[in-house]
Amino acid sequence: MIATLSTPGAVGFTNLPPLALYIHIPWCVRKCPYCDFNSHAAGPELPEDAYVTALLDDLDQELVAAQGRPISSIFFGGGTPSLFSANALGRLLRGVEQRIPFAPEIEITLEANPGTFEQDKFKAYRQTGINRLSIGVQSFQPAKLEALGRIHNGDEAVRAAGMARAAGFDNFNMDLMHGLPDQSLDDALGDLRQAIDLGPTHLSWYQLTVEPNTVFWNQPPELPEDDILWDIQEAGQALMAEHGFRQYEVSAYAQADRAARHNLNYWRFGDFIGIGAGAHGKLTFADGRILRTWKTRLPKDYLNLAKPFKAGEKLLPVDELPFEFLMNALRLTEGVEAELFTQRTGLPLEQLREARHAAEQKGLLQVEPDRLVATPRGQLFLNDLLQYFLT
């Protein structure tokens, strides 16, 4: 039987969460068949200047959400943000800092595709203040890259890591997929070993899933059987641990002190302003409101001065806050301090008591009064665990 939660009244906040900024650049060279992100194939010329201007205008309309907080991290996602020039991104970052101060030691991440790497371009990115890269490798093997519709090859992925270091990036992530069409255990571990040899500080390693509204959804590839997927997962995690990569989230592994601060803020139910076509945000206000926001998806509509940037917003009902908080926090392998629940939602921890006890009895939640953390079984069956916290 699923325990239910009571529905308290809304409360205010004396301390607001940290604030991050997400910037969506929606263009890519070619849409990948597995991709369900808001991305669009680029034409012969990108409207860089117009888009940067629109992004700053969009941010101007969001400034009320800052409420005196500096920005702790910035993440350029896409699409392929590295299609934009360093001049365009530099103008954007200067404009952002003029509007909202940057926190000391701010983390600024740029997603980049190996097929877009140019040494001088990435040195210029580093000079703008971008200090972390996330390189979308997915695989080093030609057949796998072709099946995924990637525009780069394995050699370009290898060179990209070297160019990143030469450009001054001592902190970079590599994205890798496993469970690819016709992938064996040796194939998957070969990709991981190759990535580890290139010296990233962070690995995002996740299983290919077939999502609606993608080419793969309509033309599904033949994926490995469950037994092979399980063997890949176990062996891959052991290999990364052997090389100093600690798993801190379902699909994120980092060297010591190199966990992505932007991602941690997200999983810990921090705030983030989202600007750009299709960007999402989550904002907390001192009066007790917590909003989800989303922007116009199509670039042509986002750039149309006659149309609003914001496509919609949703006030999170108080009775949905426990689920919203735990949907994020329980993805972290070490969970979160129990008191963070009250700090981020404004709700008393006592409200979770019955549901916590029921989940603990099922072996899905650790019996730790001072922390909210899933058991290894709870991590595997996270959706089942979260059901206990639905109203």
Side-chain angles (χ1 to χ4, degrees):
M1 178 178 176
I2 301 294
T4 58
L5 300 165
S6 60
T7 306
V11 296
F13 293 90
T14 54
N15 293 302
L16 295 175
L19 180 67
L21 176 65
Y22 175 75
I23 302 172
H24 193 77
I25 297 179
W27 292 282
C28 52
V29 174
R30 182 174 63 204
K31 182 85 169 178
C32 296
Y34 60 84
C35 179
D36 67 338
F37 296 153
N38 183 35
S39 59
H40 307 266
E45 290 189 18
L46 288 173
E48 283 191 340
D49 288 342
Y51 196 70
V52 168
T53 297
L55 287 168
L56 292 173
D57 289 344
D58 188 355
L59 182 59
D60 282 334
Q61 296 179 19
E62 297 279 6
L63 291 180
V64 65
Q67 302 173 87
R69 293 173 290 177
I71 296 175
S72 59
S73 64
I74 297 174
F75 194 98
F76 289 94
T80 305
S82 55
L83 291 178
F84 268 37
S85 68
N87 282 338
L89 297 187
R91 178 164 83 89
L92 176 55
L93 286 173
R94 289 191 299 273
V96 172
E97 191 170 17
Q98 288 167 2
R99 289 160 172 80
I100 308 178
F102 288 0
E105 307 300 323
I106 185 173
E107 175 191 271
I108 305 177
T109 301
L110 176 76
E111 284 189 338
N113 187 307
T116 66
F117 263 71
E118 300 169 18
Q119 190 65 62
D120 289 343
K121 185 178 183 181
F122 280 79
K123 282 183 179 177
Y125 284 149
R126 186 67 187 87
Q127 291 168 358
T128 68
I130 295 168
N131 53 23
R132 184 175 181 273
L133 293 178
S134 182
I135 305 172
V137 174
Q138 314 313 350
S139 177
F140 294 92
Q141 298 165 32
K144 302 298 184 286
L145 290 169
E146 183 178 354
L148 293 173
R150 304 295 290 174
I151 66 168
H152 68 274
N153 58 43
D155 289 341
E156 287 174 318
V158 171
R159 287 197 298 271
M163 284 193 280
R165 289 200 175 280
F169 290 97
D170 61 357
N171 186 17
F172 66 93
N173 168 66
M174 283 190 156
D175 265 6
L176 284 175
M177 283 185 175
H178 61 91
L180 305 180
D182 300 317
Q183 189 179 49
S184 67
L185 173 61
D186 287 343
D187 289 338
L189 294 183
D191 275 344
L192 264 181
R193 290 190 183 98
Q194 177 71 82
I196 290 168
D197 286 346
L198 295 173
T201 52
H202 190 286
L203 289 169
S204 296
W205 191 62
Y206 47 92
Q207 184 178 322
L208 171 64
T209 56
V210 177
E211 303 290 349
N213 302 314
T214 65
V215 172
F216 276 179
W217 183 262
N218 296 315
Q219 303 170 32
E222 186 171 341
L223 302 180
E225 295 180 355
D226 287 346
D227 287 348
I228 295 175
L229 293 174
W230 182 252
D231 290 344
I232 289 173
Q233 184 76 28
E234 284 195 317
Q237 289 178 333
L239 178 64
M240 286 185 283
E242 179 186 335
H243 287 85
F245 287 91
R246 182 182 67 83
Q247 183 181 15
Y248 69 94
E249 189 266 337
V250 170
S251 58
Y253 305 77
Q255 294 284 344
D257 300 320
R258 293 298 196 174
R261 280 183 265 163
H262 189 88
N263 294 355
L264 282 173
N265 182 61
Y266 183 86
W267 301 127
R268 290 171 64 86
F269 214 51
D271 278 1
F272 53 100
I273 294 172
I275 59 174
H280 285 242
K282 177 254 173 182
L283 304 168
T284 304
F285 294 88
D287 61 9
R289 290 176 299 137
I290 300 178
L291 296 179
R292 295 281 190 193
T293 65
W294 55 95
K295 301 298 170 64
T296 299
R297 284 180 58 84
L298 294 178
K300 66 180 180 63
D301 292 335
Y302 185 82
L303 289 169
N304 186 338
L305 298 179
K307 296 188 176 183
F309 296 119
K310 185 179 289 185
E313 65 181 33
K314 177 188 176 183
L315 176 66
L316 292 182
V318 174
D319 59 2
E320 292 182 12
L321 290 177
F323 180 83
E324 287 275 343
F325 175 87
L326 292 164
M327 179 176 61
N328 292 284
L330 292 179
R331 289 181 63 94
L332 294 169
T333 56
E334 295 182 357
V336 297
E337 310 90 335
E339 64 185 14
L340 192 70
F341 173 75
T342 296
Q343 294 171 11
R344 295 288 191 265
T345 67
L347 304 177
L349 186 62
E350 173 65 17
Q351 186 185 337
L352 299 180
R353 183 177 59 82
E354 186 180 344
R356 283 179 79 179
H357 180 71
E360 289 166 356
Q361 292 295 105
K362 289 293 185 180
L364 298 173
L365 199 67
Q366 298 278 19
V367 183
E368 293 190 34
D370 296 331
R371 295 194 69 78
L372 294 164
V373 54
T375 63
R377 184 166 178 265
Q379 286 276 321
L380 286 174
F381 299 101
L382 191 57
N383 287 339
D384 293 340
L385 170 54
L386 290 171
Q387 293 302 308
Y388 286 87
F389 301 95
L390 283 171
T391 54

